[in-house]
Amino acid sequence: MSKAKKIITNVNQSPRVFEVAKRAGCSIATVSRVINEQESVGKDLRERILKVMGELGYVPNGSARALRSSRSRLIGSIFPTLDNAIFTRMLAGLESRLAPAGASLIQCATGYDLDREFQLVRNLIEKGVDGVVLVGTIHRPETLGLLRERKVRFAVSYALSDDPTIPCMGFDNKKGGALAASYFADLGHRNIAVISGITHDNDRASARRDGFLETALARGIDRSSIALVEAPYEFSRARAAVRIIIEKSPDVTAIFCTSDVLAIGAMRGCRDAGLRVPEDISMIGFDNLDIADYLIPALTTIDVPARLMGEQVGDFFLADQENLNIHSRVELETNLIVRGTCGPARA
């Protein structure tokens, strides 16, 4: 079957196309060529068909057109949540690259549910996206298998994959955790707590925690003097986590939080307990959200180059669009931003 016949078969599935062809006084194949922007239709006939399509309010199916043209100029982004500013900052960088190139972005959120992520990937493929942005390196095998089977380009963000066949534009989360541990050790802290995001199916949270622990132990801090608590990325849950920490480990002098959201909630929890930051307890967050610099005291945190990461992801999808075998690895640096929430360990 020729390519043209394949297109006709697909178009025949929509009864609206029959009406367009009938009113325009042409064949369905001609309508198909106009929909697919082929040059073999005369100007007058093309304009007549487009006019009829407008009168009927007919919009060609996006996924079908994408499959026929191999270019939908749509990129799907799947994030754990759209409530966290660290993800919206990355989206802003991604959009800044895609929009000038005429590409559009579809935003989705999983609620940290990998089964939901698989469903979203399937939905995006059905919409005919050119590419999909994923967060982190933990995904259902079926998710990556589906993307590869359907030859849809994808890239991982916010982390670095050990698999050389998986394109990634991200940073080493363990290094970020290590920076926090080293700084606390330099300040003489030995009784420390870590408030981590939920680590199940979240490689970023677990890597930040592990990087912190490994470095703390290497700096001579006893594992038994490090309290670990996990909490969802919510102010109230981090606030409650501080109560748990103080009850079980009253000698704690420093808290590392694997996100700024957790750190802000933890600061409030310290205030509830009558603890001053940083005089009584030091605090380090992770992300360097804009609000971190406006807190009192301003939050010491690990800077995540989220906007730059989004720009790098955008460049990846715009480069050599026809080559689905392209692989890329871009490692961005994290840095410790020292502000007002850290001080020497109290005697």
Side-chain angles (χ1 to χ4, degrees):
M1 183 180 291
S2 68
K3 182 177 179 181
K5 289 183 179 179
K6 286 183 180 179
I7 292 175
I8 293 172
T9 300
N10 288 336
V11 172
N12 278 341
Q13 297 174 2
S14 172
R16 300 296 300 278
V17 177
F18 284 104
E19 192 171 353
V20 172
K22 182 178 179 180
R23 290 200 184 187
C26 65
S27 68
I28 295 172
T30 302
V31 174
S32 171
R33 286 193 287 272
V34 171
I35 290 173
N36 288 280
E37 300 179 357
Q38 297 178 10
E39 300 297 329
S40 57
V41 181
K43 180 180 178 181
D44 292 342
L45 179 54
R46 180 185 299 274
E47 290 179 353
R48 186 164 73 247
I49 292 171
L50 291 174
K51 181 180 179 181
V52 170
M53 288 171 63
E55 292 172 349
L56 294 175
Y58 173 71
V59 179
N61 179 271
S63 60
R65 289 192 64 190
L67 291 172
R68 290 192 290 271
S69 67
S70 299
R71 293 293 300 276
S72 67
R73 308 193 72 78
L74 287 175
I75 301 297
S77 62
I78 303 179
F79 288 81
T81 177
L82 296 176
D83 291 335
N84 194 328
I86 195 61
F87 293 130
T88 56
R89 183 187 294 175
M90 186 269 196
L91 281 170
L94 179 57
E95 189 76 53
S96 74
R97 286 295 199 265
L98 297 181
S104 299
L105 187 64
I106 301 176
Q107 303 173 19
C108 308
T110 67
Y112 293 91
D113 183 339
L114 295 186
D115 291 331
R116 170 66 176 160
E117 180 183 69
F118 174 74
Q119 295 297 331
L120 289 171
V121 165
R122 189 167 63 180
N123 292 344
L124 289 171
I125 290 174
E126 290 174 356
K127 291 181 183 297
V129 295
D130 284 330
V132 174
V133 186
L134 301 172
V135 171
T137 59
I138 298 179
H139 308 279
R140 294 280 184 265
E142 296 85 355
T143 300
L144 301 185
L146 181 61
L147 288 163
R148 287 169 170 146
E149 176 188 346
R150 300 297 290 272
K151 299 187 183 301
V152 175
R153 184 184 295 187
F154 67 94
V156 163
S157 61
Y158 288 92
L160 298 170
S161 176
D162 294 329
D163 185 341
T165 69
I166 296 179
C168 51
M169 295 87 214
F171 54 92
D172 189 330
N173 286 274
K174 289 186 71 172
K175 284 184 180 179
L179 289 172
S182 291
Y183 192 59
F184 277 158
D186 290 344
L187 292 172
H189 293 283
R190 291 296 180 267
N191 295 294
I192 300 171
V194 177
I195 302 178
S196 168
I198 304 300
T199 56
H200 178 68
D201 286 341
N202 187 332
D203 57 299
R204 289 88 59 209
S206 58
R208 295 171 190 183
R209 176 203 61 195
D210 293 347
F212 184 93
L213 291 176
E214 290 173 9
T215 300
L217 297 180
R219 293 292 301 268
I221 300 173
D222 292 337
R223 175 64 184 84
S224 60
S225 67
I226 304 175
L228 294 177
V229 179
E230 292 191 4
Y233 294 115
E234 300 172 14
F235 298 131
S236 62
R237 302 299 287 272
R239 183 181 183 182
V242 171
R243 290 198 300 270
I244 297 172
I245 290 168
I246 293 173
E247 289 174 3
K248 295 185 176 181
S249 307
D251 295 330
V252 163
T253 63
I255 300 176
F256 168 56
C257 298
T258 62
S259 81
D260 284 353
V261 170
L262 294 175
I264 293 169
M267 288 175 67
R268 178 57 187 268
C270 289
R271 182 179 176 182
D272 293 343
L275 297 173
R276 298 167 299 166
V277 177
E279 292 84 359
D280 300 317
I281 197 159
S282 292
M283 190 80 60
I284 295 179
F286 204 113
D287 286 334
N288 193 25
L289 301 180
D290 292 339
I291 194 175
D293 197 29
Y294 291 87
L295 299 172
I296 300 177
L299 179 63
T300 296
T301 185
I302 306 299
D303 178 62
V304 170
R307 184 180 178 89
L308 177 59
M309 182 167 50
E311 293 171 354
Q312 293 289 332
V313 172
D315 290 343
F316 168 77
F317 282 113
L318 292 174
D320 192 16
Q321 288 276 353
E322 299 304 322
N323 182 5
L324 292 173
N325 295 317
I326 187 173
H327 302 304
S328 181
R329 179 185 176 90
V330 178
E331 180 172 358
L332 303 174
E333 291 297 319
T334 56
N335 297 288
L336 176 69
I337 307 298
V338 177
R339 296 193 179 102
T341 57
C342 288
R346 64 176 186 265

